[in-house]
Amino acid sequence: MRKIKYKKGRKLQHITLEYTGSHKEHETEMQLFVYNDTDVVEYDKFTVLALNSCFDYTKNNWLNIHGLNDIGLLKTIGAHFKFDDYLLADILNTTKRTKLEEQPDILFFNIKSLLPSEYSDNISVEQLSFILKDGILISFQEKRSDFFTHIRERLRTHSGIVRTKKVDYLLYLLLDAVIENFYITIEDEEDKIEELINLTKKGADPVILEKIENHRDNFNFLKRSIVPLRDSLYYLKTIKDDDTNSLIQKETFNFFIRLHQKSLELLEQIESDMSSLESASNFYFSEQSRKMNEIMKTLTIISAIFIPLTFIVGVYGMNFENMPELKYRYGYYSVMVAMVLLVIALIVYFKKRRWF
């Protein structure tokens, strides 16, 4: 699993048809649903040879494409549905930011789907793209995944209102399913943050600070992914206000407004979680400072105890002729007892002052 960073994306020409993602081992497969309120037909192993025979333009058509490695097949799809090569280039270039593009008879949407990696603290990224035409929705996925399994079941079993609506409502459901992955990712990050906060209370291992920085990078990446999504969904609100797009029904706009609200909620949650990370980082450094202060206090107390002892030893180590204590029979024992009593007196004094 890898983490895509937009700034490190490959610089391709606008119409260069080259898949830049990491799922190059996945074969391109297609699945077609043709449905309306009374009927649904599913073509699981759909091929380009059936483009003219299987589509029913009096009904709703959802063509889902898994795998983006067969450039020739994608070009055939593009030519059949008459959308420009630069849209195919945006679909294949997975380093592109989330965006919404409106054309007279096409609405193009691409989005990043983010999920936590199973065996690391990184985030798994997949780009999904959607092309909405009159009666047709085409979705492009880098690999076969289960993002839309529940939506397929709703189509098969006539659950909910999806089969009574146009394909613009289906687009809403697909986008909503992708946005749910953001919630899953953020929840996973929050669980890991809670673990980190507990670890900072138990110790000040430098690995903890490294993990905190990794999760801060993850939240920044999440934020960079959601901000353009928020802007795109806000643009849909302006389309509603301008009443210039016929591909989205008026009653469906309210569902897309809900998605815009969800994107705002996600950003607010990320800001809150980043504050928690900042608190964990501050707690880590304060714990480091506290431990350092404890060490310095201990060393200072030890030094304060040994300073008078060192002075006494230094005085009686001068070996002058006229030091009467040197001739005293019990002089050594007396000095040792005095030094022990001095140590005890200093320890009692420091204890009363609560220095340790």
Side-chain angles (χ1 to χ4, degrees), residues 62-65 83 87 90-91 98-101 106-113 127-133 136-141 147-148 151 167 170-179 229 256:
W62 174 29
L63 176 62
N64 190 34
I65 300 174
F83 52 81
L87 288 183
D90 285 345
I91 293 168
T98 294
K99 75 171 186 178
L100 172 70
E101 184 169 335
I106 286 177
L107 191 68
F108 173 75
F109 206 117
N110 74 352
I111 186 174
K112 295 290 187 294
S113 175
Q127 177 170 286
L128 294 95
S129 302
F130 305 95
I131 292 180
L132 179 66
K133 292 174 64 72
I136 301 171
L137 176 63
I138 308 174
S139 55
F140 300 84
Q141 297 180 247
F147 300 157
F148 309 139
I151 299 175
V167 287
L170 178 62
L171 174 61
Y172 154 74
L173 290 179
L174 299 181
L175 291 175
D176 186 57
V178 175
I179 290 176
L229 172 62
F256 287 98

Side-chain angles (χ1 to χ4, degrees), residues 190-204:
E190 288 174 342
D191 292 340
K192 292 176 180 177
I193 290 173
E194 187 175 350
E195 293 177 5
L196 284 176
I197 292 174
N198 292 332
L199 287 175
T200 55
K201 295 178 180 178
K202 295 178 181 179

Side-chain angles (χ1 to χ4, degrees), residues 308-310 312-313 333-344:
L309 301 182
T310 304
I312 294 172
V313 171
Y333 303 105
S334 300
V335 171
M336 292 300 295
V337 170
M339 292 171 68
V340 171
L341 292 175
L342 180 59
V343 169
I344 295 173

